[in-house]
Amino acid sequence: MADDTAARTADVARAYYNTDDVDGFYAHAWGGEDIHVGVYEDADEPIDRAAGRTVERLAATVGTALGAGARVLDMGSGYGGAARRLAKSFGCRVVALNISEVQNHRHRELNVRCGLDDRIEVVSGSFHDIPFPDGEFDVVWSQEALCHSGDRPRALGQARRVLKAGGHLVFTDIMAADDAPEDEVRPLAERLSITDLATPGFYEAQLRMLGLAGVAFDDLGDHLLTHYERLVEEVRRPSPALVAAVSAEYLDRLRANLPLVAAACRKGHLKWGIFHATA
């Protein structure tokens, strides 16, 4: 049953990210290359700049684990913004595992354009069945990808399996607060096109069950609110590029749904931040 659920959610995620509307939204409103939640210095900061700062924050969390000899697995790598930043800044080699063929095609094109295709291997596949042997990576990295998993214990177990002894697992995710009312969280998950939301308590417990050490969570929920407020503005006053990239119907749905997610952040029902642990 767990295998069936994981496969179904993988199919849903693949179909979601392969659609023209979703691809256009992420490419032209969410941040372009870094389609992840940002760490903001001010409320009016461009999304792509804040999203890049998140990558820097995660990289600082793992410290000296990143370097010219390091191998990194990025689970759910999107368009590869994080992979390129890591490869360029630290000289490490990155395996970018991602389920969307549309995103992977653009990712490879951008790697070639930046001269980083020799350092980044883009692999089409699911993090429920990571196609690499045990102990392969110094760092396993993920940003807002586990929310699409229908079997998070399995995905985390796979991440643990491919970590070297002493390796680092670092990830972010959009979550429900541990005390968020179920009847309010469920429709939020549906608006985010996912089955359900994990909680910080769930992830902390799972990481400890996997025998990982130094489990820590840096709660950055205030930035999640800023991020969704910025997205609300992006669709309220869309750029010509966004209007051309998505359907009018999809843009209307975004204008209806994104303010509801921002409102849930204000109520404290959603959480976001950085998890870190070592093998």
Side-chain angles (χ1 to χ4, degrees):
M1 183 64 71
D3 286 351
D4 291 343
T5 301
R8 282 197 302 272
T9 55
D11 288 342
V12 169
R14 184 185 296 107
Y16 173 74
Y17 283 108
N18 281 346
T19 61
D20 290 341
D21 278 336
V22 171
D23 185 56
F25 170 60
Y26 280 104
H28 297 289
W30 193 287
E33 292 191 36
D34 288 303
I35 54 172
H36 307 294
V37 177
V39 171
Y40 291 80
E41 290 188 343
D42 65 73
D44 297 321
E45 187 171 22
I47 292 173
D48 58 347
R49 186 181 303 163
R53 189 175 296 113
T54 302
V55 176
E56 295 168 1
R57 186 85 167 245
L58 268 73
T61 300
V62 303
T64 57
L66 294 168
R71 277 177 58 79
V72 179
L73 174 67
D74 185 356
M75 301 196 316
S77 52
Y79 300 126
R84 282 185 292 279
R85 286 177 184 272
L86 294 175
K88 183 176 180 180
S89 297
F90 299 97
C92 54
R93 295 190 178 275
V94 183
V95 172
L97 179 66
N98 196 58
I99 203 162
S100 166
E101 293 84 358
V102 170
Q103 291 182 341
N104 292 345
H105 178 72
R106 184 176 299 173
H107 185 169
R108 293 184 183 98
E109 288 183 336
L110 290 169
N111 291 346
V112 171
R113 192 180 305 169
C114 295
L116 293 169
D117 53 310
D118 61 331
R119 292 190 172 275
I120 303 170
E121 178 186 1
V122 182
V123 177
S124 295
S126 169
F127 47 53
H128 294 123
D129 295 290
I130 297 174
F132 289 90
D134 297 359
E136 181 78 4
F137 297 98
D138 300 280
V139 176
V140 174
W141 173 295
S142 185
Q143 292 179 259
E144 288 86 73
L146 289 168
C147 56
H148 292 286
S149 172
D151 191 348
R152 295 185 186 100
R154 176 172 169 174
L156 290 170
Q158 285 283 294
R160 172 69 177 88
R161 177 183 66 77
V162 298
L163 265 182
K164 292 180 179 178
H168 295 253
L169 172 61
V170 61
F171 67 91
T172 61
D173 203 17
I174 297 173
M175 299 164 285
D178 286 294
D179 59 354
E182 174 66 23
D183 59 343
E184 296 206 25
V185 170
R186 192 181 308 107
L188 285 173
E190 293 171 357
R191 290 186 184 101
L192 293 168
S193 298
I194 55 183
T195 305
D196 61 2
L197 291 165
T199 64
F202 166 84
Y203 279 131
E204 289 173 355
Q206 288 294 316
L207 296 176
R208 291 192 174 95
M209 285 176 60
L210 289 168
L212 293 165
V215 176
F217 174 56
D218 185 7
D219 188 342
L220 300 171
D222 289 347
H223 294 281
L224 184 65
L225 171 58
T226 303
H227 189 78
Y228 273 96
E229 288 177 334
R230 290 290 295 109
L231 289 173
V232 168
E233 288 303 311
E234 289 290 324
V235 300
R236 183 177 294 160
R237 300 182 180 87
S239 67
L242 178 60
V243 172
V246 304
S247 67
E249 179 184 7
Y250 183 70
L251 192 55
D252 286 341
R253 290 207 306 272
L254 290 172
R255 287 169 174 155
N257 289 339
L258 290 174
L260 297 175
V261 179
C265 294
R266 289 188 203 96
K267 293 177 183 177
H269 292 167
L270 292 180
K271 287 286 187 178
W272 177 76
I274 300 172
F275 285 93
H276 176 235
T278 55

